[in-house]
Amino acid sequence: AFAYGPTGSGKTFSIAGRPDSIIKNGSGDATDGLVMRSIESLFEKIRNLQREGLQFKVRASCVEIYNESVIDLIKFSRASKDCHALPVKFDTARASFFVHELSYCKCPTEEDLLRLYMRTLRNRSVAGHQLNRDSSRSHALFTVYVDSMIKGEDGHITTRHGKMTFVDLAGSERLKESKSEGTTLRETGSLN
């Protein structure tokens, strides 16, 4: 899922909903974002498939791209003194890019995954300006990885891998309208 648009258009709300309602209100609340609805649906499917003998492992990662640096939001917050940018590398064997030393968190339950997501939301870089008092100052990618395993009649275990990535881009801004200054002005240059 990919949310993009101008600042203040509701991208983060569409993806995250209201963070304070993620654990408190449960499913069905009108403020549930795409992440919460997807996680609820995922774990409902997992519960149904477990009855058929499948086993599952769920884990997640979350990064923000802030001022052109990749930050692991599971390990660090914007206020962390030991926060450092992670390098993006290319894996020639898989012909794909990856974030070196990215942390992954095991999430055996729906609540574990939602609590992790809430933590990463709190760690994300935000600031206020004329157009949006809670403006995301970074691009965020929250990825859920799902491995399913089933034992065949011959005893062989078949494993399948899947993932969902929720991308919340910081909004594009017009400096003239946002009246950004100082750090927020520098961040705007990296965002646009």
Side-chain angles (χ1 to χ4, degrees):
F2 199 85
Y4 67 95
T7 190
S9 62
K11 297 173 299 300
T12 300
F13 182 77
S14 295
I15 293 287
R18 293 199 187 283
D20 57 341
S21 73
I22 288 177
I23 295 293
K24 292 179 191 170
N25 296 337
S27 66
D29 189 283
T31 62
D32 290 352
L34 188 57
V35 170
M36 183 170 187
R37 293 169 193 261
S38 297
I39 289 171
E40 288 175 339
S41 178
L42 170 68
F43 276 91
E44 182 179 326
K45 289 184 187 323
I46 285 173
R47 285 187 291 275
N48 290 335
L49 290 170
Q50 283 175 329
R51 292 184 197 119
E52 298 174 19
L54 273 80
Q55 295 179 355
F56 290 88
K57 291 181 184 175
V58 178
R59 58 196 169 99
S61 67
C62 189
V63 297
E64 76 173 351
I65 302 170
Y66 175 73
N67 284 340
E68 301 181 20
S69 295
V70 177
I71 309 296
D72 185 335
L73 291 181
I74 292 176
K75 284 185 188 174
F76 306 107
S77 73
R78 63 188 174 279
S80 297
K81 296 198 184 316
D82 59 346
C83 180
H84 63 279
L86 298 177
V88 176
K89 297 193 174 191
F90 187 74
D91 181 346
T92 54
R94 294 184 181 195
S96 64
F97 289 94
F98 68 99
V99 178
H100 187 64
E101 297 182 3
L102 178 63
S103 59
Y104 300 88
C105 189
K106 292 179 185 176
C107 300
T109 69
E110 181 177 336
E111 187 171 285
D112 291 334
L113 189 52
L114 290 171
R115 286 189 191 285
L116 176 68
Y117 183 58
M118 285 174 47
R119 190 173 93 207
T120 64
L121 284 175
R122 286 190 300 270
N123 290 344
R124 190 161 177 205
S125 299
V126 295
H129 57 69
Q130 193 74 19
L131 299 175
N132 187 352
R133 66 181 171 91
D134 294 315
S135 178
S136 300
R137 309 313 297 162
S138 65
H139 307 303
L141 290 83
F142 181 72
T143 304
V144 178
Y145 306 85
V146 181
D147 300 327
S148 69
M149 292 79 58
I150 189 160
K151 192 176 209 176
E153 292 177 11
D154 62 356
H156 179 74
I157 296 175
T158 302
T159 303
R160 293 190 174 139
H161 310 281
K163 70 178 179 176
M164 301 182 289
T165 301
F166 302 91
V167 181
D168 183 10
L169 295 181
S172 56
E173 298 175 7
R174 292 201 166 118
L175 287 175
K176 185 176 180 181
E177 294 172 13
S178 69
K179 298 185 173 136
S180 296
E181 299 174 337
T183 302
T184 308
L185 175 64
R186 191 180 84 243
E187 292 167 342
T188 300
S190 293
L191 297 175
N192 290 335

